[in-house]
Amino acid sequence: MPARNATDVAAQNGAKQVKALLFDVFGTVVDWRGGISREAAAFGARNGIDRDWLAFADDWRGLYQPAMEQVRAGNRGFVRLDVLHRENLDQLFGKYGITGISEEETDHLNRAWHRLRPWEDVLPGLHRLHRQYVLGTLSNGNIALMVNMARNSGLPWDAVLGAEVTRSYKPMPETYLGSCEALGLRPDQCMLVAAHNGDLQAARDCGMKTAYINRPYEYGPHQKVDFEATSDWEFIANDMVELADQIGCP
């Protein structure tokens, strides 16, 4: 993926007026598949359970969108992602024939999402971007999840925004617009950084600027989309360090 001229991009798209970079987190900032499969394998070892833990991670993530859709469709009131993750985990235990697990062990596994680690380019890139911009999350993850993840890995967020703050789940417009409003900024003063073209399109539709980060291995061999940018996003980069280069952050 070729680098783009940061000066040209800024001139063409008004990127110089951007005050805040808001980040999708799962897949863009952290490696959920690797992290969840490792935590699940450790859970299995502690409890004498042998399963395909990569498949378990994929299946747990596979229940993510359907669970949120029940909220988006108005079939249930807003609940935090921790609650949806726990409901999905209980469902997975049934599918995988896992029984007799204590509440303490189950809760610890559910909070594996709080302990996900960033891709290796993330911290160097974010620290450079932080010199010039307000940084925050624009994630479907709830506040406690995002805060714990940041403290575990040193993610330099200035604000934790997204689903719980706006009581909505992406790609609902209010998730994007409410996050910008919470910072006292117009949508065009905020840029979404994400590895998912659909997320970026929803942000652009709300008036936000956009930056694509390529994560072609997020879903391992099961990835079917987001191998490359599919639109003319303001910035297109292979990783966070390259994004900092393109924007001109020292």
Side-chain angles (χ1 to χ4, degrees):
M1 187 178 299
R4 306 173 76 195
N5 184 286
T7 302
D8 290 346
V9 171
Q12 293 170 7
N13 300 287
K16 288 182 178 179
Q17 69 185 358
V18 169
K19 306 296 184 186
L21 304 183
L22 301 181
F23 291 76
D24 171 69
V25 175
F26 299 118
T28 302
V29 173
V30 297
D31 173 16
W32 62 264
R33 188 172 190 261
I36 293 300
S37 61
R38 284 191 297 272
E39 291 257 4
F43 159 83
R46 288 193 303 272
N47 291 280
I49 302 168
D50 183 18
R51 299 290 188 275
D52 182 341
W53 298 115
L54 276 171
F56 186 92
D58 291 335
D59 286 346
W60 200 354
R61 182 66 172 179
L63 295 171
Y64 172 74
Q65 288 294 342
M68 290 188 298
E69 185 57 30
Q70 292 300 305
V71 176
R72 289 191 291 250
N75 296 329
R76 67 183 299 185
F78 181 82
V79 293
R80 295 184 298 275
L81 188 61
D82 273 344
V83 174
L84 299 181
H85 275 156
R86 176 56 189 269
E87 292 172 355
N88 294 342
L89 178 59
D90 290 342
Q91 183 177 334
L92 272 188
F93 278 180
K95 176 179 178 178
Y96 280 79
I98 297 173
T99 59
I101 304 301
S102 71
E103 174 59 27
E104 181 180 6
E105 275 281 7
T106 304
D107 183 65
H108 182 76
L109 180 57
N110 194 52
R111 291 176 181 273
W113 298 92
H114 293 224
R115 299 185 293 273
L116 296 179
R117 296 291 182 176
W119 303 101
E120 62 182 38
D121 59 277
V122 166
L123 289 177
L126 289 187
H127 284 294
R128 287 175 58 190
L129 293 165
H130 201 201
R131 295 170 188 161
Q132 192 164 316
Y133 295 98
V134 171
L135 301 186
T137 68
L138 206 171
S139 173
N140 286 325
N142 51 281
I143 294 170
L145 191 163
M146 291 290 113
V147 168
N148 290 335
M149 183 191 294
R151 287 182 63 82
N152 285 335
S153 297
L155 296 166
W157 306 134
D158 296 301
V160 173
L161 303 170
E164 190 171 5
V165 172
T166 64
R167 310 291 287 180
S168 63
Y169 281 116
K170 295 189 296 182
M172 298 173 74
E174 47 264 52
T175 317
Y176 305 91
L177 295 173
S179 295
C180 298
E181 183 180 8
L183 288 175
L185 297 173
R186 300 187 309 269
D188 64 324
Q189 294 177 304
C190 300
M191 180 181 292
L192 179 69
V193 182
H196 311 115
N197 288 282
D199 197 2
L200 292 170
Q201 186 60 57
R204 174 175 280 181
D205 290 345
C206 290
M208 296 178 68
K209 303 301 183 185
T210 53
Y212 174 85
I213 301 294
N214 197 34
R215 301 291 189 208
Y217 308 112
E218 177 187 353
Y219 286 86
H222 307 296
Q223 188 141 333
K224 296 181 174 61
V225 295
D226 297 321
F227 291 104
E228 61 183 5
T230 59
S231 190
D232 59 338
W233 313 121
E234 279 78 10
F235 293 92
I236 298 172
N238 285 305
D239 57 39
M240 297 292 182
V241 172
E242 186 175 302
L243 178 62
D245 290 340
Q246 290 183 15
I247 291 180
C249 293

